[in-house]
Structures are given as C-alpha cells and as structure tokens.
C-alpha cells in the first residue's frame, strides 16, 4: 500500500511539474529595437562567400556587396533596415558554377526584420523579406523570390544569411532550364556580409529589449 501511495505521489508530482512548465509564460520577445551608434545609419557591406544552391548546383560568389539604411523601430517582428542595392559578383570577379558564369540581378529594396535578441552575445535573429532576383547561368534564367533567415552580430558586423528549406522559390524559368531548374524548386542561399557605417570602420549595432 505504501509503495502504491509513493508511486502515486511521484506521478502526481511529475504531472504537476510538467503542467507548470507547460503553462509558464514564455519569455517576452523584444519589441523595442535601437540602432547604433545613431539612428538612422547608412551602411555598406561586403561578402567573399555567397552561395546559391539549387538541385545540386552551387553558384558561388567570392565577391558581393550591398548598401542600405538602418533605423530604430518598435514591434515584433520589426523592420529595422532596408537593403538597396545588392550586387553579386563583379566584372573582374564573377560568380561561377560548373555550368559557367552566373549573372544575378537583384530587384531591391529588400527589408531587414528582427525578431529575437541575445544580450550576452549581441546577436539578433531575424530575416530578410522581399528577396527578388533574376539568375542567369548558361542558357537558363529563372527568378528567385521569398525570404531569407539569418543573424546579425553587433561586435563583428556579420549579417549571416542561411535560408531554411522552403523560404526561397523559383519561378519563370526559361526553356533553357529544362531538366535543371523548375518552377517551385527551393534553392538555398548562404553567406556572410560584414557591415560598417558608411565611410567608417564602425559596425552598426542593433539592440532589442
């Protein structure tokens, strides 16, 4: 009898603890976002490692640059920045793949949104919305649209982009894409863009509270 009562007490205790965890209020997401050192700030950014991958084809850029503006904002998600323009490759350093040179024309502006902030590391989580670009490689051309998740680190100015599985989608492929790229395909996009306040070596900051 004692063993039965003891087991019942343990079960009840575990159930109570589980219920308490399940009903505990979630940590509030930041709703106040402050851009530094001042707001608004214009920025420039460069990358040496951008990769667009689709159906086993890696399209690699060892040069990419971007510019835009950042501003303090409220809400969650909060739109704290605009990217306009962004370039992939340049004449002396084009993007490449095993199919040949890759030409990408980005249709901007794109919007930088933030959702979470870790004060201990100075890292914001969020996503870029409004992504739209026309990609041409060999006889194939297609459009990529959607969003791209990533993080931003205040101390290094690193905007790290790493899309999830279905964030980006292909549309309007030309006949030359047959058997290679199709409407509805989901490419991945990865890269690190290092940002500085325009005309300086200072990294802009984004702090959520």
């Amino acid at each position: 009898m004692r063993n039965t009562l003891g087991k019942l007490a343990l079960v009840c205790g575990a159930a109570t603890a589980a219920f308490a965890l399940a009903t505990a209020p979630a940590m509030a997401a930041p709703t106040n976002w402050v851009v530094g050192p001042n707001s608004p700030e214009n920025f420039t950014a460069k990358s040496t490692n951008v990769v667009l991958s689709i159906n086993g084809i890696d399209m690699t850029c060892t040069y990419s640059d971007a510019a835009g503006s950042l501003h303090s904002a409220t809400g969650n998600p909060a739109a704290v920045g605009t990217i306009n323009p962004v370039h992939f490759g340049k004449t002396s350093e084009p993007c490449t793949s095993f199919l040949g040179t890759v030409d990408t024309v980005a249709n901007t502006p794109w919007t930088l949104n933030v959702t979470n902030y870790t004060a201990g590391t100075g890292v914001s989580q969020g996503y870029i919305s409004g992504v739209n670009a026309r990609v041409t490689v060999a006889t194939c051309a297609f459009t990529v649209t959607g969003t791209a998740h990533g993080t931003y680190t205040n101390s290094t100015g690193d905007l790290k982009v790493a899309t999830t599985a279905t964030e980006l989608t292909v549309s309007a492929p030309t006949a030359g894409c047959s058997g290679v790229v199709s409407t509805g395909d989901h490419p991945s996009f990865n890269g690190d863009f290092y940002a500085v306040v325009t005309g300086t070596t200072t990294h802009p900051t984004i702090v959520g509270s």
Side-chain angles (χ1 to χ4, degrees):
M1 182 68 175
R2 287 176 183 169
N3 286 340
T4 301
L5 290 175
K7 290 178 181 178
L8 180 60
L10 286 173
V11 171
C12 290
T16 300
F19 178 77
L21 287 173
T23 57
M27 184 177 292
T31 56
N32 186 49
W33 301 89
V34 177
V35 164
N38 299 292
S39 175
E41 288 284 12
N42 292 327
F43 72 89
T44 58
K46 291 184 178 180
S47 178
T48 59
N49 67 334
V50 173
V51 181
L52 178 72
S53 297
I54 183 167
N55 298 334
I57 303 169
D58 288 345
M59 304 177 192
T60 303
C61 303
T62 55
Y63 178 87
S64 182
D65 65 59
S69 62
L70 295 169
H71 55 83
S72 299
T74 58
N76 194 301
V80 296
T82 299
I83 300 172
N84 183 28
V86 58
H87 304 111
F88 299 100
K90 57 183 179 179
T91 302
S92 61
E93 202 170 343
C95 302
T96 59
S97 73
F98 76 82
L99 294 175
T101 299
V102 182
D103 179 54
T104 301
V105 177
N107 299 307
T108 54
W110 299 351
T111 301
L112 179 62
N113 307 275
V114 284
T115 56
N116 291 290
Y117 179 71
T118 304
T121 58
V123 176
S124 298
Q125 295 178 320
Y127 59 93
I128 299 169
S129 59
V131 174
N132 186 313
R134 187 68 175 173
V135 181
T136 302
V137 55
T139 60
C140 174
F142 56 94
T143 297
V144 175
T145 57
T147 60
H149 270 77
T151 60
Y152 181 75
T153 302
N154 288 333
S155 60
T156 61
D158 181 13
L159 176 61
K160 181 184 290 291
V161 182
T163 57
T164 60
T166 60
E167 285 189 299
L168 297 175
T169 303
V170 166
S171 63
T174 60
C177 297
S178 180
V180 179
V181 177
S182 302
T183 297
D185 284 347
H186 297 293
S188 64
F189 177 74
N190 295 273
D192 292 86
F193 287 83
Y194 291 90
V196 293
V197 175
T198 301
T200 76
T201 58
T202 300
H203 301 304
T205 57
I206 304 171
V207 176
S209 61

